[in-house]
Amino acid sequence: MWIGGVRVIILDNQNRMLMVRQHHEDKDIWMVPGGTIEDGESALDAAVREVMEETGLEVEVGKLIWHVEEVSERGQRFVNFFMGRVKGGQLALGEDPEYDENHQVLREVKFMTREEIDGIRVLYPEYLKDEFWRFLNEDYFGYNAFKMREKHT
């Protein structure tokens, strides 16, 4: 049975990427905010909820940029990666409601430069170091569509 997940790539006005550090299996892993799609929830609704839970930020979710399927000893899952932008809220480390206060996996949240991301030892997914930036430069994701919409509203 497939389990669905979401991740949201959010850039600030300096092209720094919003990242969260989580602790799993005795190691720290940096990733963009996101998590599991709950029963009866759409991927877009899950993306908005997960970013709020982990970072305190309200976001608008944009274009789907990657659909990643993973089959491993942990099971089968897919993760949808979306572009997003901040609409409100205050950046703060959130909590994961699946864990009690003594077992939280979230450790840190911050915007990071491309150079800082390049220096991360354990990053999920690794292509946040190169492929994402290459596509962004080509506007492959339609990221500028956010800016175009702002001008017309």
Side-chain angles (χ1 to χ4, degrees), residues 95-111:
E95 293 184 353
D96 197 331
E98 288 94 46
Y99 300 102
D100 66 34
E101 72 178 54
N102 296 321
H103 297 93
Q104 288 292 308
V105 296
L106 296 171
R107 297 291 194 260
E108 186 176 0
V109 59
K110 67 180 181 176
F111 282 95

Side-chain angles (χ1 to χ4, degrees), residues 67-146:
H67 174 86
V68 178
E69 295 180 359
E70 301 170 351
V71 179
S72 68
E73 64 277 353
R74 294 184 308 173
Q76 299 169 296
R77 75 181 266 132
F78 68 86
V79 181
N80 291 323
F81 285 79
F82 295 96
M83 287 299 299
R85 72 171 180 157
V86 176
K87 290 182 3 178
Q90 294 281 14
L91 182 62
L93 182 63
E95 293 184 353
D96 197 331
E98 288 94 46
Y99 300 102
D100 66 34
E101 72 178 54
N102 296 321
H103 297 93
Q104 288 292 308
V105 296
L106 296 171
R107 297 291 194 260
E108 186 176 0
V109 59
K110 67 180 181 176
F111 282 95
M112 299 176 78
T113 65
R114 181 178 182 181
E115 291 75 23
E116 289 172 313
I117 292 169
D118 283 345
I120 293 174
R121 196 169 61 81
V122 182
L123 176 70
Y124 173 81
E126 276 288 320
Y127 41 81
L128 289 174
K129 288 185 178 183
D130 51 21
E131 184 176 325
F132 170 79
W133 301 99
R134 193 169 51 251
F135 286 144
L136 183 66
N137 287 335
E138 298 168 4
D139 197 27
Y140 178 83
F141 302 131
Y143 184 69
N144 290 330
F146 280 131

Side-chain angles (χ1 to χ4, degrees), residues 1-121:
M1 176 200 256
W2 286 88
I3 297 171
V6 293
R7 296 270 162 211
V8 184
I9 298 174
I10 300 164
L11 302 177
D12 68 7
N13 58 3
Q14 299 170 1
N15 271 348
R16 296 179 304 170
M17 187 181 296
L18 182 60
M19 302 292 292
V20 294
R21 180 170 55 93
Q22 296 187 10
H23 191 78
H24 296 279
E25 300 169 4
D26 294 324
K27 65 182 169 193
D28 286 339
I29 304 168
W30 283 95
M31 61 191 75
V32 294
T36 303
I37 301 170
E38 296 179 355
D39 286 341
E41 186 176 46
S42 73
L44 293 176
D45 290 341
V48 170
R49 177 186 50 77
E50 286 286 349
V51 172
M52 174 57 83
E53 288 176 358
E54 293 182 2
T55 71
L57 296 174
E58 298 171 37
V59 295
E60 175 184 3
V61 177
K63 187 172 186 158
L64 174 68
I65 58 173
W66 289 310
H67 174 86
V68 178
E69 295 180 359
E70 301 170 351
V71 179
S72 68
E73 64 277 353
R74 294 184 308 173
Q76 299 169 296
R77 75 181 266 132
F78 68 86
V79 181
N80 291 323
F81 285 79
F82 295 96
M83 287 299 299
R85 72 171 180 157
V86 176
K87 290 182 3 178
Q90 294 281 14
L91 182 62
L93 182 63
E95 293 184 353
D96 197 331
E98 288 94 46
Y99 300 102
D100 66 34
E101 72 178 54
N102 296 321
H103 297 93
Q104 288 292 308
V105 296
L106 296 171
R107 297 291 194 260
E108 186 176 0
V109 59
K110 67 180 181 176
F111 282 95
M112 299 176 78
T113 65
R114 181 178 182 181
E115 291 75 23
E116 289 172 313
I117 292 169
D118 283 345
I120 293 174
R121 196 169 61 81

